[in-house]
């Protein structure tokens, strides 16, 4: 088990992002990727088992039921890279299906070292599968993986769990284009996308009655306190989930319950909050099935299959590089 990591750089990037996001005129914001420290990753794992949050179960169900069919549509030999592996639980089905026909290399690419460790533990025991983790941003990690493959070896990139939904639609499409640049013809991207559903169901998924999502969101302020020496009082902020009907996305915010001032030592900034002002911490875009196919076609892929869960509308899309 091997991990390529670049930890030192991360704290400066984090401080920089926090300074920029909180001193921005107008809507304050923080990048959602920072929700996933060790506490945040553990809270997210809990979100995934909440009855209100059907997304992860739908994603896993589709992979469990259709992995063989998906793998049968891929060229041989093929290696697997995963963008944001998380705990790696869902990936098992794909790796097992592939390992029935070949020895398989699996490269989880993940900025959360705790998630990477969990993933290596979860998937380290599958026969004929070797794991090499990359603790790097997605595209850097993917470039590193693509460079080390031999001639004639194909690549399957997994981007599951509707993580693409964190990007604005335009940025998501640009991201697909950048992934395509790194790939060769015949390589594939298996893309998980959460689909539009009843607004009440979508809101409940991001504002569960047990308060796990609230804790997940508030932990971002806790993380800034811990890692950047800030003095956020978490009891003075409230979690909020909104449906933005124009952009078709859930937005998570943290609302300041009073006028207050917060210092972030490592970012060298003092931040004023008005009563009722919010920090926008995450977007989760929701898609329509044909929209994903059109996105694929505009970014250098063709859709080689789409599988939709009936219980919780969610799609696995097999995008093939053209
Ligand atoms: C992991 C980005 C897919 O947007 O649904 C869950 C993160 N945020 N509950 C999502 C999340 C609040 C999740 N993704």
């Amino acid at each position: 088990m091997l991990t390529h990591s670049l930890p030192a750089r991360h704290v400066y990037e984090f401080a920089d992002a926090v300074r920029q996001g909180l001193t921005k005129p107008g809507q304050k914001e923080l990048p959602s990727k920072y929700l996933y420290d060790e506490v945040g990753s553990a809270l997210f794992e809990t979100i995934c088992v909440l009855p209100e949050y059907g997304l992860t179960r739908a994603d896993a169900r589709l992979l469990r039921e259709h992995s063989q069919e998906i793998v049968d549509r891929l060229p041989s030999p093929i290696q697997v890279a995963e963008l944001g592996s998380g705990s790696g639980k869902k990936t098992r089905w794909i790796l097992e299906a592939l390992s029935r026909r070949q020895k398989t290399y699996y490269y989880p690419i993940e900025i959360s070292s705790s998630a990477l460790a969990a993933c290596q533990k979860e998937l380290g025991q599958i026969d004929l599968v070797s794991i090499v983790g990359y603790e790097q941003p997605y595209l850097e990690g993917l470039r590193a993986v693509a460079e080390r493959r031999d001639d004639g070896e194909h690549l399957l990139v997994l981007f599951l769990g509707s993580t693409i939904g964190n990007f604005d639609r335009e940025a998501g499409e640009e991201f697909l284009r950048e992934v395509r640049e790194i790939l060769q013809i015949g390589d594939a991207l298996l893309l998980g996308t959460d689909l539009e559903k009843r607004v009440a169901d979508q809101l409940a998924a991001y504002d569960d009655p047990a308060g796990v999502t609230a804790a997940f969101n508030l932990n971002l302020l806790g993380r800034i306190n811990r890692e950047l020496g800030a003095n956020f009082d978490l009891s003075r902020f409230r979690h909020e989930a909104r449906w933005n009907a124009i952009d078709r996305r859930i937005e998570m915010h943290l609302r300041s319950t009073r006028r207050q001032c917060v210092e972030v030592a490592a970012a060298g900034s003092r931040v004023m909050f008005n009563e009722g002002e919010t920090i926008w911490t995450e977007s989760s875009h929701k898609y329509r099935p044909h929209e994903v196919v059109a996105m694929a076609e505009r970014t250098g892929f063709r859709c080689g299959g789409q599988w939709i869960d009936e219980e919780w509308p969610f799609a696995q899309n097999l995008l093939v590089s053209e």
Side-chain angles (χ1 to χ4, degrees):
M1 223 143 62
L2 195 77
T3 303
H4 299 282
S5 70
L6 311 156
R9 205 176 73 191
H10 288 172
V11 84
Y12 299 106
E13 280 181 10
F14 186 29
D16 222 55
V18 169
R19 186 188 315 106
Q20 274 194 36
L22 295 185
T23 58
K24 226 182 106 221
Q27 175 70 62
K28 292 179 168 65
E29 56 185 50
L30 290 167
S32 58
K33 66 175 181 180
Y34 294 111
L35 289 163
Y36 302 90
D37 66 343
E38 190 174 2
V39 177
S41 297
L43 288 167
F44 178 65
E45 289 302 310
T46 306
I47 288 174
C48 293
V49 294
L50 290 172
E52 294 80 13
Y53 191 78
L55 191 155
T56 309
R57 284 182 297 279
D59 192 11
R61 220 167 15 243
L62 288 167
L63 291 175
R64 200 177 57 226
E65 286 167 15
H66 305 291
S67 274
Q68 193 59 53
E69 195 186 341
I70 293 169
V71 159
D72 287 345
R73 297 187 190 190
L74 299 171
S76 262
I78 193 160
Q79 302 185 342
V80 182
E82 180 163 18
L83 308 178
S85 60
S87 71
K89 283 201 185 85
K90 301 172 282 194
T91 311
R92 170 176 295 276
W93 309 107
I94 291 283
L95 294 178
E96 285 183 349
L98 267 176
S99 69
R100 266 175 231 131
R101 70 179 202 203
Q102 60 165 82
K103 168 152 179 50
T104 303
Y105 283 89
Y106 170 56
Y107 305 100
I109 301 165
E110 174 61 72
I111 49 167
S112 161
S113 55
S114 49
L116 198 54
C119 164
Q120 290 180 323
K121 196 169 162 201
E122 171 78 26
L123 299 172
Q125 310 301 328
I126 306 177
D127 277 348
L128 293 176
V129 174
S130 297
I131 309 187
V132 181
Y134 283 74
E135 192 179 330
Q136 285 186 8
Y138 296 152
L139 294 173
E140 281 173 46
L142 187 57
R143 272 184 211 107
V145 168
E147 274 163 23
R148 58 174 278 176
R149 64 168 147 171
D150 295 325
D151 285 344
E153 254 174 350
H154 281 287
L155 207 51
L156 167 65
V157 179
L158 307 176
F159 196 27
L160 305 176
S162 204
T163 303
I164 191 169
N166 286 163
F167 292 111
D168 288 353
R169 268 170 232 279
E170 214 172 286
E173 209 165 300
E174 184 50 35
F175 185 78
L176 292 185
R177 217 165 267 127
E178 287 180 277
V179 169
R180 172 62 191 88
E181 286 277 285
I182 301 170
L183 300 182
Q184 294 171 4
I185 293 174
D187 291 347
L189 170 65
L190 185 64
L191 179 68
T193 51
D194 200 20
L195 302 177
E196 274 183 73
K197 51 189 68 62
R198 284 182 40 212
V199 171
D201 293 347
Q202 288 179 158
L203 283 170
Y206 293 86
D207 195 6
D208 62 278
V212 183
T213 309
F216 172 68
N217 198 6
L218 283 162
N219 173 61
L220 181 50
L221 304 182
R223 179 180 187 182
I224 295 172
N225 286 348
R226 293 187 293 272
E227 294 183 23
L228 303 179
N231 63 351
F232 278 104
D233 178 345
L234 274 58
S235 72
R236 296 179 176 179
F237 288 85
R238 292 273 174 281
H239 167 69
E240 205 174 285
R242 304 179 192 163
W243 171 245
N244 177 332
I246 297 180
D247 296 309
R248 290 181 287 129
R249 65 185 179 213
I250 291 283
E251 295 175 6
M252 287 206 313
H253 289 256
L254 290 165
R255 184 180 291 281
S256 173
T257 58
R258 58 169 88 179
R259 189 176 167 81
Q260 55 182 318
C261 182
V262 177
E263 286 186 45
V264 188
S269 41
R270 295 182 90 234
V271 185
M272 274 296 309
F273 290 91
N274 288 320
E275 183 179 342
E277 186 176 2
T278 73
I279 311 172
W280 180 12
T281 53
E282 188 184 53
S283 298
S284 291
H285 289 77
K286 305 303 168 190
Y287 301 88
R288 296 171 183 161
H290 65 262
E291 179 185 5
V292 184
V293 176
M295 255 162 62
E297 288 171 357
R298 285 193 296 268
T299 54
F301 294 96
R302 70 178 167 81
C303 187
Q306 186 177 62
W307 294 265
I308 295 177
D309 191 73
E310 300 298 332
E311 198 175 321
W312 179 275
F314 185 99
Q316 298 296 358
N317 310 277
L318 183 65
L319 311 188
V320 182
S321 290
E322 286 201 308

